[in-house]
Amino acid sequence: MQKIIILDFGSQTTQLIGRRVRELNTFCEILPYNKFPKDDPDVIGVILSGSPLSVNQADAFRLDFADLRGRYPILGICYGAQLMADTFGGKVESSDSREYGRAQLQTIDADDALFKGIAPDAQVWMSHGDTITHLPQGFEVVASTPTVKHAAYRAADGEPLWGVQFHPEVFHTLCGRLLLHNFVVDICGSQQDWSPAQFVESTIAELRQQIGTDRVILGLSGGVDSSVAAVLLHRAIGDQLTCIFVDHGLLRKDEYTEVMGLYANLGLNVIGVDASQKFYAELSGVTDPERKRKIIGKGFIDVFEAEARKITDARWLAQGTIYPDRIESMNITGKVIKSHHNVGGLPEKMNLKICEPLRWLFKDEVRRVGKQLGIPQLLIGRHPFPGPGLAVRILGDITPEKVRVLQEADDIFISGLRQWPTEDGDVLYNKVWQAGVILLPVQSVGVMGDERTYEQAVALRAVTSTDAMTADWAHLPYDFLAKVSNDIINHVRGVNRVCYDISSKPPATIEWE
Ligand code: XMP
């Protein structure tokens, strides 16, 4: 399958370049800058990412262009563009005025293949402290802004090589999609055949080949990734797959039963384990968020392992790990800095091999694949939910009674979001990335009827986001918030005050703990 290689020099937007290429139905791999796959016949082009470094630093990341030049079309972005200019004999210097934010192109060469169809005054997004002051011999300017002369350049002799000092991958570069389309499709010749249907078909064939007649176990969480991985595997190997769903007692109201029902409808073989009492006992009196997480993580592994050991002939552990999990777990030198094994240590202990069928997909692609597999929207459209569940939304110690109160309040908020219509015929739930209620360790005075009350406060949290790395609080309609507040106070015993969290991430986080 054709692929674009994105060499990562450590920029925060490298992943975005990958997403944009995938949006062009083109497969791509993001690799550390020094890991170019020299012998891969499927490579059709190379993109060099930005970097927090300066090419003038002694320890700047360098590249051996002998592997690339003359073999593939190359697009250097920001640091990538500066690195090429510097390597080929140009000059990069620290710029007097640092170039950040919006800028308008002023002149462009309208005949240039990379800029085909792009308005001469298109808006771009700059973010660099260095600037290219002299282009190497044999290179020429393609676009400038009022302050950046070499905003884009190319090789003058027709070699397919470009450098842009702005970021075409970010939303604010309005012409960015077209520019990347020009590069990936027109210049590199992508046939744009990377699609959910194609992915499902080829992955099923690969899984059959990889697994043969072995047995596989998979931990389901009720979330999108593990559910899609399970259905994909089930398509490939049928009943050789056994799934395990652990209820730690910190799920949403009725979630365990509902999700088990959805899995049964999908034909999955799922062992459900209600371990809530174990978790409540172990969490009793614990207030520190990190200790809560550790207790739940270890408890989960214990329960999962006990069940998994009953499947004595299992050879594989399947996981719903997705691409961003793996990219985050590597730094640009390729060293693993954080392991994403949900059931840490288990594969080694039980001598299981790891199978990660979604390892190349971004979150939105997982949803598209899920849709392709016929998984109901109720499952694939679900908001993300933290592994430790409501434990990180009950500030302070956890008791079954607090879990009940929070489940009731959360249910009112979430079902409210699912029902509240929006102008475009959708519902509010689908307009937010994630929502939930937090039970605060605070009591306040209220009045209900003629009675003075002294009860708990809850906070509603709803955010918009594309990847949970940054998030904004969702601007939910006042009428909706008023109704939810009313419903919670009237129906959830023990709560007399509702607040709305209007903090963005950063500096706050999505969860409170
Ligand atoms: P924060 O709170 O860091 O969360 O802004 C970002 C995203 O990660 C989820 N989250 C977790 N998921 N285990 C998980 O599996 C955890 O311990 C955990 N903490 C946060 C959070 O819900 C949000 O989607």
Side-chain angles (χ1 to χ4, degrees):
M1 185 188 355
Q2 292 184 315
K3 65 173 87 154
I4 298 281
I5 298 294
I6 298 159
L7 291 180
D8 181 19
F9 291 88
S11 164
Q12 289 187 345
T13 58
T14 306
Q15 264 207 48
L16 263 184
I17 306 174
R19 287 179 64 114
R20 297 285 170 259
V21 175
R22 293 284 181 85
E23 281 163 14
L24 294 166
N25 294 328
T26 304
F27 186 66
C28 62
E29 284 179 27
I30 298 172
L31 297 171
Y33 71 96
N34 54 359
K35 293 274 188 296
F36 182 73
K38 287 179 207 165
D39 305 317
D40 187 336
D42 294 333
V43 177
I44 57 169
V46 184
I47 299 177
L48 314 180
S49 84
S51 175
L53 302 180
S54 156
V55 294
N56 293 318
Q57 272 173 247
D59 55 354
F61 296 142
R62 302 239 149 229
L63 197 61
D64 182 359
F65 280 92
D67 295 333
L68 310 181
R69 270 193 93 174
R71 298 184 64 194
Y72 310 101
I74 305 174
L75 173 64
I77 294 176
C78 200
Y79 179 91
Q82 292 165 355
L83 178 68
M84 290 198 293
D86 183 69
T87 307
F88 306 144
K91 197 160 188 186
V92 175
E93 292 175 279
S94 160
S95 88
D96 298 338
S97 55
R98 291 161 80 82
E99 312 281 351
Y100 289 105
R102 283 187 182 84
Q104 206 159 24
L105 294 182
Q106 205 174 31
T107 51
I108 62 173
D109 176 351
D111 295 330
D112 183 77
L114 189 67
F115 283 82
K116 197 177 79 188
I118 292 175
D121 58 351
Q123 180 183 298
V124 297
W125 187 261
M126 296 278 182
S127 177
H128 53 98
D130 284 354
T131 197
I132 301 170
T133 47
H134 294 286
L135 285 178
Q137 215 165 17
F139 287 67
E140 61 193 10
V141 182
V142 183
S144 308
T145 73
T147 49
V148 183
K149 187 172 169 210
H150 306 117
Y153 67 81
R154 68 178 170 218
D157 63 356
E159 177 191 347
L161 181 153
W162 285 262
V164 292
Q165 291 203 85
F166 55 87
H167 287 270
E169 69 278 20
V170 305
F171 173 75
H172 298 287
T173 296
L174 301 178
C175 61
R177 277 166 202 249
L178 183 52
L179 186 145
L180 288 170
H181 180 280
N182 290 344
F183 181 71
V184 170
V185 180
D186 297 351
I187 296 169
C188 299
S190 164
Q191 285 154 12
Q192 298 190 279
D193 52 7
W194 167 257
S195 67
Q198 192 269 349
F199 171 83
V200 167
E201 194 185 318
S202 62
T203 307
I204 286 178
E206 271 169 38
L207 287 170
R208 286 189 181 140
Q209 171 91 24
Q210 183 184 31
I211 292 164
T213 56
D214 291 348
R215 272 189 94 77
V216 180
I217 43 178
L218 178 144
L220 282 171
S221 68
V224 181
D225 302 344
S226 63
S227 304
V228 172
V231 174
L232 193 55
L233 268 154
H234 187 253
R235 282 280 172 87
I237 58 165
D239 288 342
Q240 287 163 248
L241 173 71
T242 305
C243 305
I244 299 170
F245 183 22
V246 178
D247 179 4
H248 49 27
L250 298 153
L251 298 171
R252 293 191 142 123
K253 185 183 175 187
D254 300 330
E255 186 172 20
Y256 180 65
T257 332
E258 279 167 16
V259 171
M260 284 295 276
L262 288 171
Y263 286 148
N265 286 341
L266 287 165
L268 297 177
N269 171 20
V270 187
I271 299 171
V273 191
D274 176 359
S276 34
Q277 295 313 318
K278 167 189 163 71
F279 283 89
Y280 292 156
E282 289 176 1
L283 287 166
S284 172
V286 178
T287 54
D288 177 63
E290 283 314 303
R291 266 201 73 208
K292 286 184 191 173
R293 277 196 165 80
K294 287 219 168 77
I295 290 169
I296 295 169
K298 181 174 178 312
F300 179 85
I301 291 169
D302 290 348
V303 175
F304 188 88
E305 183 178 0
E307 285 307 316
R309 284 203 184 277
K310 294 180 191 161
I311 306 161
T312 49
D313 54 347
R315 293 284 165 273
W316 296 84
L317 179 76
Q319 299 190 142
T321 317
I322 66 172
Y323 200 27
D325 299 337
R326 297 194 309 125
I327 303 174
E328 276 169 27
S329 70
M330 288 193 289
N331 69 16
I332 49 176
T333 55
K335 214 165 85 190
V336 174
I337 51 176
K338 190 167 77 179
S339 166
H340 269 270
H341 290 167
N342 313 332
V343 282
L346 197 62
E348 296 80 15
K349 241 165 86 187
M350 288 183 61
N351 203 18
L352 295 171
K353 292 181 271 189
I354 294 278
C355 169
E356 295 175 324
L358 310 181
R359 64 191 179 283
W360 291 113
L361 301 190
F362 290 100
K363 191 86 181 180
D364 52 326
E365 293 175 319
V366 175
R367 290 205 161 102
R368 282 163 64 201
V369 165
K371 200 167 164 203
Q372 176 74 30
L373 287 164
I375 302 178
Q377 181 59 23
L378 202 56
L379 203 49
I380 46 174
R382 300 184 87 207
H383 290 166
F385 187 65
L390 300 181
V392 291
R393 294 185 184 167
I394 296 174
L395 273 52
D397 70 320
I398 294 162
T399 63
E401 174 57 12
K402 286 186 185 173
V403 174
R404 185 202 63 78
V405 169
L406 181 54
Q407 281 179 334
E408 293 299 331
D410 180 82
D411 186 50
I412 289 172
F413 186 33
I414 298 297
S415 34
L417 286 167
R418 284 196 184 281
Q419 285 158 16
W420 195 270
T422 51
E423 276 174 9
D424 59 357
D426 204 346
V427 289
L428 274 182
Y429 184 87
N430 296 331
K431 302 293 178 194
V432 302
W433 165 268
Q434 187 171 2
V437 179
I438 295 95
L439 186 66
L440 306 181
V442 169
Q443 284 182 298
S444 73
V445 174
V447 55
M448 277 191 190
D450 292 333
E451 297 282 314
R452 175 190 185 275
T453 60
Y454 189 58
E455 292 178 334
Q456 295 218 231
V458 296
L460 311 180
R461 181 77 163 137
V463 296
T464 53
S465 178
T466 49
D467 51 14
M469 303 288 284
T470 59
D472 194 9
W473 59 279
H475 295 217
L476 298 176
Y478 282 172
D479 288 351
F480 170 75
L481 290 171
K483 178 168 169 22
V484 170
S485 163
N486 231 12
D487 287 351
I488 290 178
I489 292 172
N490 285 331
H491 295 112
V492 184
R493 269 212 346 257
V495 176
N496 69 351
R497 195 173 292 270
V498 174
C499 314
Y500 189 49
D501 181 352
I502 52 167
S503 336
S504 62
K505 173 184 178 175
T509 49
I510 296 175
E511 305 293 346
W512 278 43
E513 281 197 338

